[in-house]
Amino acid sequence: MCLRNWNYQGKEAKGTEHMKILHTADWHIGKLLEGRSRLEEQRILLRQLAQMAEAEEADVVCVAGDIFDNGHPSAAAEALFYETIKELSKNGERLVVIIGGNHDQPSRLEAVNPLVREHGILIFGSPTSQLPSGTYGTFQIQSLDPGVFSFTKNQERAVFACVPYFSERTLNEVLYQEETDDAKRAGQYSQKAEELFKKRAAWFSPDSINVLMSHVFTLGSAGDGSEQGMMLGNSYLLPANVFPPSAQYIALGHIHRPQKVPGSGGQIRYSGSPLPYRLMETAVAKQCLLAELHPGKKPVVKELFFDNPKPIEKWVCDDYAQALEKCRENQERSCYVYLYIRTDSYIREEQLKELKSYKEDLLEIVPLLSSREEEDTYQDFRQMSFEELFIRYYTEKKGTAPQQEVLETLAGILEKEKEYETDTIEDKGSEQLSGAPGD
């Protein structure tokens, strides 16, 4: 995959001041690829992000959830996060606003708020989070409601409504904590989400810059398999009309493919992830978004593209000899490879070793023993997440989709397994990066 390099356009002539919002999401720091750490690639891309913020003179950086890949990130993953947000903040001159995603542990994410405040960094882990009014870096923040605050920059007032990831249970707790009417609690997820957004947007005004941040699925958005596994039918898909029309720009996270939400006129957007985390994500160039905002006007949005230091590729070779030659030719190139070889017999152990002697980052070597149709079927299954495979199997066997409680139980089991695997890999990686003795 060839990515377009982002480039500096130079500083714009000063006229009417606009507030510039740099929108990013889904960093998934610490995420593995077939058991391999990608911390160094993430470090490079997050450094690019900081350079973009500086070159484009961003006033605010919005990070719309899924900072980490699990709720118990490794020390190396946390260190990269802290280094990045400190650099983004520019010693408190640039506001950095962060919300939690479904992969983040809210209280752990928020734990550093007292330490990062002086750098102009605000972290909202859950929909009930509320930070005190006061000085954050060089900004005077007025706290208005849970997740809602205002400030003035470039002589313009901005109101931010931050709504981190919420489950249906969380919605009930936020909206109906003292409500005894079971009928309200049993309402549709989208209706509850709309009510929550409406409550937070009540602070928006025609003479302010109004920004909403959240971490949700939206109806009609193009997915890439990255975050589709835990969705039960369409129950967690939100139509564009649940978002408040008074919001000038809505910065979303959750889907890794950058895109405009259908029916939003480009005012509701996913920035996508800065790095492709599976083969299916390589079809679209990765980016972040720069939105220029002024009260009462539509946003002017600019796409800024990342330069991926180590792309994920799929090679299909007609025979073993061609595969070996391709590995030789590309042994100096930095890329991960899924290698498919058409053959009449299985690939021998010594052949596997020979291929890997030329190309270390072969993630998988798959012999194609049958028809193209079977190859495509295998590829479909190979790119499905475990949750997607479970839902497919369960539905075929039971004749109905699994209940949300079943999926949440499964997610809990997988999360514990992922945390153990991530901690093990990243601890080894941090030892190697620091030069500490290791295996």
Side-chain angles (χ1 to χ4, degrees):
M1 178 183 67
C2 179
L3 291 178
R4 287 170 282 176
N5 292 336
W6 66 276
N7 55 75
Y8 299 119
Q9 300 293 326
K11 298 183 178 180
E12 299 174 356
K14 294 294 182 181
T16 302
E17 293 285 1
H18 291 73
M19 189 171 292
K20 293 183 178 181
I21 310 293
L22 187 64
H23 169 200
T24 179
D26 295 283
W27 293 356
H28 288 274
I29 301 175
K31 188 173 181 65
L32 307 178
L33 178 63
E34 306 291 353
R36 300 178 188 226
S37 170
R38 305 187 75 190
L39 270 182
E40 193 52 41
E41 297 156 66
Q42 291 175 324
R43 186 184 310 280
I44 293 170
L45 289 172
L46 293 175
R47 175 62 181 151
Q48 287 181 24
L49 179 69
Q51 292 172 338
M52 292 177 190
E54 182 64 18
E56 300 292 341
E57 298 184 301
D59 299 301
V60 184
V61 176
C62 297
V63 190
D66 279 355
I67 311 305
F68 298 108
D69 194 52
N70 65 67
H72 298 278
S74 68
E78 287 187 308
L80 178 55
F81 171 54
Y82 302 144
E83 290 167 11
T84 299
I85 60 175
K86 183 177 184 295
E87 185 174 10
L88 284 171
S89 72
K90 197 180 177 181
N91 296 317
E93 294 180 25
R94 182 181 297 118
L95 202 64
V96 179
V97 186
I98 300 166
I99 64 171
N102 56 304
H103 285 257
D104 300 311
Q105 211 287 326
S107 60
R108 183 161 185 165
L109 195 63
E110 292 180 339
V112 296
N113 266 324
L115 300 177
V116 299
R117 175 172 173 166
E118 65 183 81
H119 296 285
I121 299 167
L122 297 84
I123 303 176
F124 299 91
S126 75
T128 59
S129 302
Q130 184 168 4
L131 296 177
S133 298
T135 303
Y136 289 73
T138 60
F139 295 81
Q140 289 299 316
I141 300 296
Q142 182 182 5
S143 181
L144 304 172
D145 219 357
V148 185
F149 65 92
S150 67
F151 64 96
T152 299
K153 176 74 175 179
N154 299 335
Q155 299 182 332
E156 292 185 331
R157 181 174 181 266
V159 179
F160 274 61
C162 303
V163 186
Y165 172 78
F166 49 83
S167 64
E168 189 153 16
R169 179 183 299 174
T170 303
L171 279 175
N172 283 333
E173 291 173 355
V174 173
L175 295 172
Y176 313 124
Q177 189 171 10
E178 299 178 2
E179 182 64 58
T180 58
D181 187 352
D182 290 338
K184 287 186 177 180
R185 290 178 173 272
Q188 292 294 317
Y189 177 83
S190 61
Q191 294 172 344
K192 297 173 186 176
E194 182 176 11
E195 185 176 347
L196 177 58
F197 291 141
K198 185 177 180 181
K199 286 170 71 75
R200 299 297 184 252
W203 295 96
F204 292 161
S205 65
D207 60 350
S208 64
I209 292 171
N210 304 315
V211 176
L212 174 69
M213 295 174 62
S214 196
H215 192 87
V216 293
F217 285 122
T218 54
L219 192 63
S221 296
D224 47 28
S226 57
E227 287 288 355
Q228 296 297 318
M230 295 308 297
M231 209 162 44
L232 181 58
N234 288 336
S235 62
Y236 276 18
L237 289 172
L238 299 178
N241 61 13
V242 306
F243 296 99
S246 54
Q248 288 172 271
Y249 185 77
I250 299 177
L252 298 181
H254 212 355
I255 296 178
H256 293 185
R257 178 190 289 256
Q259 60 197 284
K260 304 172 188 175
V261 171
S264 71
Q267 290 177 254
I268 310 176
R269 292 183 181 240
Y270 289 96
S271 66
S273 60
L275 191 68
Y277 287 113
R278 59 196 301 191
L279 185 60
M280 288 178 69
E281 294 184 39
T282 60
V284 178
K286 294 298 185 177
Q287 62 182 247
C288 61
L289 301 167
L290 186 77
E292 294 191 17
L293 302 171
H294 188 77
K297 295 184 179 180
K298 290 186 176 181
V300 176
V301 181
K302 180 180 180 180
E303 297 173 341
L304 304 173
F305 294 90
F306 289 103
D307 187 4
N308 186 354
K310 195 168 184 177
I312 305 171
E313 300 180 359
K314 175 185 176 182
W315 299 349
V316 180
C317 298
D318 290 331
D319 52 35
Y320 176 78
Q322 186 184 68
L324 184 61
E325 182 59 27
K326 195 168 182 67
C327 287
R328 283 174 176 157
E329 290 174 353
N330 291 274
Q331 60 183 312
E332 300 301 325
R333 281 188 61 230
S334 181
C335 61
Y336 295 107
V337 177
Y338 289 91
L339 177 60
Y340 296 79
I341 306 173
R342 295 191 174 93
T343 178
D344 294 329
S345 60
Y346 286 101
I347 300 170
R348 300 189 305 274
E349 183 66 26
E350 59 268 25
Q351 290 177 316
L352 294 174
K353 289 180 179 179
E354 186 176 24
L355 291 168
K356 290 183 177 180
S357 71
Y358 290 104
K359 190 65 181 170
E360 274 187 354
D361 292 316
L362 289 174
L363 299 176
E364 190 171 37
I365 302 171
V366 182
L368 301 177
L369 300 169
S370 52
S371 68
R372 174 72 188 182
E373 182 178 349
E374 290 179 359
E375 175 192 335
D376 290 340
T377 301
Y378 175 85
Q379 178 66 8
D380 289 343
F381 278 107
R382 181 68 188 84
Q383 293 305 316
M384 284 184 180
S385 67
F386 186 88
E387 294 90 343
E388 290 170 316
L389 290 170
F390 174 79
I391 292 172
R392 181 168 179 165
Y393 176 80
Y394 188 103
T395 303
E396 288 178 356
K397 292 295 182 181
K398 301 284 188 179
T400 184
Q403 294 295 316
Q404 187 63 27
E405 291 79 7
V406 174
L407 294 177
E408 288 176 356
T409 300
L410 176 65
I413 295 170
L414 293 177
E415 187 69 15
K416 289 180 181 178
E417 290 294 323
K418 186 191 296 182
E419 288 165 12
Y420 174 78
E421 181 183 16
T422 302
D423 288 344
T424 301
I425 296 292
E426 297 299 2
D427 286 346
K428 289 181 179 178
S430 62
E431 285 180 358
Q432 293 170 357
L433 286 173
S434 64
D439 293 337

